[in-house]
Amino acid sequence: MATAFKWLYRALGALAALSALALAAAYLLVAGSLPDYDRDFAVRGLGAPARILRDAHAVPHIRAETEEDAFFALGFAHAQDRLWQMELNRRAAQGRLAELFGPALLPVDRMMRALDLHRLARAAVARQSPRARAALEAYARGVNARLRAVADQALGRGAPEFLFFSRSIAPWTPADSLSIAKLLALRLSDHAAAEVRRAALSLLLPAERLRDIDPDYPEDGSIALPDYAALFPGLRFARPAAGAPRTAQALPAAGRGGASNAWALSGARSAAGKPILANDPHLWLSAPSIWHLARLELPGVGGIMGAAVPGLPLILIGRNERLAWGLTASYGDDADIYIEKLDPEDPSRYLTPEGYAPFRVRRELIQVAGRPPEEVELRWTRHGPVLPPDQLGLAQVTPAGHVAALSWTALTEDDRSFTAAFELMLARDIDEGAAAMADHVAPPLNVTLADERDVGMIVAGRLPLRHRLNPGKGRLPAPGWVAVNDWTGYLRTPDLPRVMRPASGAVANANNRTAQAPYPRHVSFHWGDPYRIRRIRKELASREFHSRDGAAALQNDAVSEMARAVLPLIARDLWWTGAAAPADPVEARRREALEMLGEWNGEMTQHAPEPLIFAEWMRRLTLRLAADELGPAVELVAGPRPVFVERVFRDIGGAGAWCDVNKTTRVETCAEMAALALDDALGALAERYGPDPRGWRWGEAHVATHEHTPLGRFALLAPLVNITHEASGGDFTLLRAQGAGSGPEPHKVVTAAGMRMVVDFADPDSSLIVISTGQSGHPLSRFYDDQSLLWRRGDALRMSLDFADAEAGAQGVTLLTPLGPEGSDERG
């Protein structure tokens, strides 16, 4: 027995030693790709030496003798920090994700191949201005110089993910950069999804009830919609099969196309007498962040600093020495779904106003990890690409013998959006900035501008004009063979909304309506929520003068004007009814929760229970109100829908009818539905967080997870690569942290302000900027998440254009020197 134990100990010891050696080898293998910021390189494609100084947070500060060399260095720096992210986005735009991750992502690849973004990007390169095209080409040379250095000097494949998911990486091209720009535009466009959702709801609801749950908000009044079923006689909503697995989606769902806050104040409204600009775009969370901070020194232009997207040679949001600019989604209606009728005799043709015409067809192979490649047939109509029916819920609203096609302004070779953003980055005042964006196509944007003297805001983008007799007016999928449904042109730039040098000294936008013009020059029927802009207006009007610190505090404001507006409506008949000390435990818990909410000021702080109670109550109330009418399709409106709830509890246009359960003989009241929904919410919360509501915390449920793709989805690796923390704010606060709305974690944060910036022209070098993770995409780097603590507590970095500031605490300097055409050599 003693001998057996001795050998067992020896075996366990050997196993432990082998495990330790394996872990050490794995660490060394992965750590080999950590970038050394204090290492020099001789590289091909550079005209003269360029210097990349990394400050205390590894933000690159780039100096070069020519503009092209500066963008070369930016490409090198982006590839140092975010090579995997760049490759992943490039593959997404090309429809090549299944090649790495297997058949689960085939639906996404089919969709992206249908859209053909990469071909359109290749064609668009030649449409850019010579100066912008030179930047694209120089940037690509810089990325490729880093790739050569990685290969020649065995720098760990450039990123640890390449050890597991890719054997090779193709050289970077200018078209790759433009395809990433189109991919960003796609992620910000949800109008097609909104049309499909509205069509699905219209198949289930009468017109007056559709207006309640999916209103043309915030238009003043509603324009009558046609009955979608009347456009396609016999069509019925096709419910998904029970238990059917969810298909990976390439486009955002309706209401998930991103959001932002931005405002600017002239010197007349600032404490220091100079303009202030604040911007915080609310996009999907990821690790690393989609944003990467950088500073460029361009000869003849000066310093430019702000947030870039790796893959693009741009400071997309930021400031130069004379101008600051921010971006928000304008919600301009830039896309339509067309239902195309197939020729019953020949399905290779579809119906047009002039008769049947052939599809434009091409066939492609999609490589799939772990199984043979799949051949796909891709068809285009005169309106645009035919979409796979498993995307956007199209199968539920497309009649048999028909297909759905997408018209989207970005699906063009004549797209000079990159040139517009490039010229904006170089502009010297708000007028030049506004003029630069005249070439912008997609996505539609609100551009907030501030220079040393004044402020302005413009809408930029190519927005289609629709025929005045178009029955759906861009709000429903339209029959593609009816000529009146075709676009008739585009809004001219002078017709787009703009405010320059307002007498009030202030401009602001939180995705709210910007246009007052009636259809067809209306810009959109689909806008963001009204509650954030109410909060901005209220806070800006509360004092005459504002400061940089006040702007930063407002970006972190967690007070919900939505809660302040809606809570009194849904609780008014419950606060003053019922026994003072009810014996029933359910009623007693409800009474306690109502007392807590009665003392709550609407602040969605992570430390309090009231935001959790209210958020879950709102979610459950929507389900209670809509479930009997919609059945399983209630998932189309999952999550809090406060505009709907307001209409119901104010009984606008008879909307109070939603409170009556149509499957019972009695007539239920709104107060009853509110009480039942509150009991639902409290029961679910008690089951998960314990019986005492005063011990619950919003932050326990409202967790922001910056997930790494794909390592963050592996249970063993998730704690190492995902950045997770509790969050304040909510769906309708300025500190916006939008929840999932449904599923096992309905309050999990899915979008938030991944970057915040405040520029103060009274002291520009004390301006503020921060991203939600860190500069590096390498999980072993200390710069992977070093900004996340600043971000979550509302702090920021100084946004200085002074190199002396960057040199304080610098992490190193990379000197890039030109090399002849035959090789790449490390120097130093």
Side-chain angles (χ1 to χ4, degrees):
M1 182 65 71
T3 303
F5 275 117
K6 186 193 318 182
W7 282 105
L8 178 61
Y9 290 147
R10 288 176 179 174
L12 290 174
L15 183 62
L18 288 172
S19 299
L21 285 173
L23 286 173
Y27 176 84
L28 290 174
L29 192 64
V30 171
S33 55
L34 274 168
D36 184 347
Y37 296 137
D38 207 19
R39 187 174 186 176
D40 300 340
F41 296 89
V43 293
R44 289 192 303 238
L46 189 67
R51 187 168 176 257
I52 307 173
L53 182 149
R54 297 285 187 151
D55 68 16
H57 289 273
V59 176
H61 296 251
I62 294 170
R63 275 179 165 168
E65 292 185 18
T66 69
E67 189 169 290
E68 288 187 33
D69 286 348
F71 287 109
F72 179 105
L74 181 64
F76 192 94
H78 278 172
Q80 275 185 308
D81 287 341
R82 303 286 188 87
L83 187 59
W84 172 251
Q85 184 183 46
M86 293 166 64
E87 174 69 0
L88 206 61
N89 285 335
R90 171 168 67 169
R91 283 178 173 271
Q94 294 172 345
R96 294 179 55 217
L97 292 176
E99 190 174 318
L100 297 183
F101 306 127
L105 289 183
L106 261 174
V108 174
D109 281 356
R110 293 189 196 107
M111 180 69 168
M112 300 309 296
R113 297 293 181 99
L115 296 177
D116 209 11
L117 296 187
H118 199 257
R119 180 192 65 80
L120 294 169
R122 288 198 306 270
V125 171
R127 307 301 206 278
Q128 308 310 308
S129 71
R131 191 176 184 181
R133 191 163 63 249
L136 285 165
E137 292 166 351
Y139 180 88
R141 292 197 300 271
V143 175
N144 293 330
R146 175 63 181 174
L147 294 180
R148 282 192 294 271
V150 167
D152 294 347
Q153 299 166 28
L155 301 180
R157 305 289 298 278
E161 296 87 350
F162 287 107
L163 298 170
F164 308 103
F165 290 104
S166 181
R167 292 186 297 275
S168 62
I169 179 170
W172 198 264
T173 69
D176 294 330
S177 293
L178 294 190
S179 68
I180 287 178
K182 285 188 177 289
L183 183 67
L184 283 173
L186 185 69
R187 294 291 300 269
L188 288 170
S189 178
D190 70 339
H191 278 274
E195 285 186 22
V196 175
R197 181 180 68 181
R198 185 182 285 266
L201 291 172
S202 74
L203 293 173
L204 297 165
L205 297 169
E208 64 273 13
R209 299 289 73 90
L210 174 63
R211 185 169 60 245
D212 297 329
I213 201 162
D214 201 20
D216 294 328
Y217 187 81
E219 296 288 341
D220 296 330
S222 178
I223 300 172
L225 271 174
D227 184 347
Y228 185 66
L231 298 177
F232 304 99
L235 178 62
R236 297 291 182 268
F237 179 74
R239 300 183 189 276
R246 289 185 176 272
T247 302
Q249 298 291 300
L251 273 67
R256 302 287 175 175
S260 309
N261 303 319
W263 63 91
L265 301 166
S266 72
R269 296 292 307 278
S270 73
K274 289 285 187 177
I276 296 171
L277 181 145
N279 187 206
D280 53 306
H282 310 151
L283 302 175
W284 57 97
L285 298 181
S286 63
S289 166
I290 65 169
W291 302 105
H292 182 275
L293 304 183
R295 181 263 168 96
L296 303 172
E297 186 76 21
L298 299 185
V301 176
I304 306 171
M305 186 175 184
V309 171
L312 288 171
L314 286 174
I315 300 299
L316 201 57
I317 296 174
R319 78 174 185 94
N320 58 36
E321 293 176 0
R322 298 183 180 182
L323 179 74
W325 61 97
L327 305 176
T328 64
S330 80
Y331 280 52
D333 189 355
D334 62 343
D336 278 331
I337 296 289
Y338 287 91
I339 304 298
E340 309 284 13
K341 184 176 183 178
L342 300 178
D343 184 347
E345 303 297 325
D346 181 1
S348 68
R349 304 196 305 165
Y350 68 100
L351 187 59
T352 76
E354 291 78 35
Y356 286 103
F359 291 100
R360 288 165 42 202
V361 179
R362 72 184 195 280
R363 288 176 173 81
E364 293 186 5
L365 279 181
I366 301 179
Q367 301 296 326
V368 186
R371 64 184 245 188
E374 177 179 297
E375 184 178 29
V376 291
E377 181 182 84
L378 305 169
R379 296 175 291 175
W380 275 60
T381 73
R382 66 194 188 94
H383 293 119
V386 173
L387 303 183
D390 61 2
Q391 296 291 299
L392 296 178
L394 287 166
Q396 279 72 59
V397 300
T398 305
H402 297 69
V403 294
L406 173 69
S407 275
W408 178 38
T409 57
L411 298 179
T412 176
E413 299 177 359
D414 183 25
D415 186 347
R416 287 169 55 86
S417 298
F418 177 82
T419 292
F422 189 86
E423 295 298 329
L424 173 63
M425 180 178 65
L426 307 178
R428 294 170 293 182
D429 57 39
I430 62 174
D431 294 311
E432 285 190 9
M437 293 303 289
D439 278 337
H440 181 68
V441 173
L445 296 170
N446 300 315
V447 184
T448 307
L449 301 163
D451 59 24
E452 297 172 301
R453 297 175 299 279
D454 226 315
V455 300
M457 182 178 288
I458 66 167
V459 173
R462 187 176 291 176
L463 295 178
L465 279 168
R466 296 169 179 85
H467 197 283
R468 62 184 180 83
L469 298 180
N470 181 321
K473 297 177 171 57
R475 292 173 294 166
L476 286 173
W481 58 92
V482 179
V484 77
N485 293 328
D486 293 344
W487 293 352
T488 61
Y490 300 97
L491 281 170
R492 299 181 310 120
T493 297
D495 294 333
L496 295 174
R498 65 170 52 205
V499 177
M500 302 291 281
R501 300 178 180 86
S504 66
V507 293
N509 183 263
N511 315 115
N512 51 286
R513 183 177 62 179
T514 55
Q516 302 294 335
Y519 176 87
R521 300 181 182 277
H522 66 309
V523 174
S524 179
F525 288 110
H526 172 55
W527 302 94
D529 69 89
Y531 305 104
R532 286 176 293 127
I533 192 64
R534 289 180 193 171
R535 185 68 181 170
I536 293 174
R537 287 171 178 160
K538 180 178 179 180
E539 291 301 301
L540 292 184
S542 67
R543 58 184 64 89
E544 186 175 359
F545 301 109
H546 296 265
S547 66
R548 180 205 66 179
D549 292 343
L554 190 54
Q555 287 180 330
N556 289 280
D557 183 281
V559 173
S560 174
E561 293 293 334
M562 184 276 281
R564 291 181 170 186
V566 176
L567 179 59
L569 283 176
I570 63 177
R572 63 188 173 190
D573 292 324
L574 306 181
W575 270 323
W576 312 113
T577 59
D584 177 54
V586 172
E587 189 177 349
R589 184 169 58 193
R590 186 199 313 152
R591 175 62 46 205
E592 182 180 19
L594 286 166
E595 289 174 358
M596 294 165 64
L597 291 172
E599 297 173 357
W600 180 48
N601 69 351
E603 185 176 6
M604 305 287 288
T605 173
Q606 68 192 66
H607 306 295
E610 291 87 356
L612 177 57
I613 296 170
F614 176 72
E616 184 65 9
W617 187 8
M618 284 292 293
R619 193 176 77 85
R620 297 281 177 163
L621 183 55
T622 300
L623 293 173
R624 277 278 181 179
L625 294 173
D628 58 322
E629 281 85 356
L630 297 180
V634 74
E635 68 176 17
L636 293 171
V637 295
R641 300 186 70 81
V643 177
F644 167 56
V645 171
E646 282 200 65
R647 287 182 66 89
V648 170
F649 278 75
R650 297 184 191 277
D651 195 21
I652 298 173
W658 286 89
C659 292
D660 179 35
V661 179
N662 59 22
K663 294 179 175 59
T664 66
T665 56
R666 62 185 295 266
V667 177
E668 289 81 8
T669 68
C670 289
E672 288 178 295
M673 299 305 288
L676 289 169
L678 180 55
D679 290 343
D680 292 343
L682 295 174
L685 295 175
E687 185 176 342
R688 182 156 187 176
Y689 301 109
D692 182 10
R694 296 187 184 276
W696 302 340
R697 290 187 306 104
W698 176 226
E700 274 193 276
H702 199 238
V703 175
T705 300
H706 302 73
E707 186 177 275
H708 182 284
T709 301
L711 301 182
R713 296 172 189 174
F714 294 92
L716 291 177
L717 294 176
L720 302 176
V721 298
N722 291 345
I723 302 168
T724 303
H725 54 83
E726 296 181 357
S728 295
D731 289 32
F732 306 102
T733 59
L734 294 183
L735 182 62
R736 192 169 189 265
Q738 187 180 32
S742 61
E745 297 179 88
H747 304 295
K748 176 183 176 180
V749 180
V750 293
T751 64
M755 187 278 293
R756 292 193 290 264
M757 177 185 77
V758 178
V759 176
D760 182 359
F761 276 101
D763 186 5
D765 285 339
S766 290
S767 298
L768 305 172
I769 196 165
V770 70
I771 60 175
S772 58
T773 59
Q775 290 291 99
S776 178
H778 199 302
L780 296 184
S781 170
R782 64 191 178 95
F783 302 110
Y784 184 68
D785 63 352
D786 63 313
Q787 293 184 54
S788 66
L789 180 60
L790 296 172
W791 179 80
R792 73 182 74 167
R793 71 188 186 201
D795 290 340
L797 313 178
R798 285 182 63 212
M799 195 178 177
S800 174
L801 294 180
D802 187 339
F803 265 96
D805 290 337
E807 288 168 346
Q811 301 302 306
V813 176
T814 297
L815 180 66
L816 303 178
T817 54
L819 186 71
E822 295 303 319
S824 174
D825 185 31
E826 178 191 356
R827 298 167 60 93

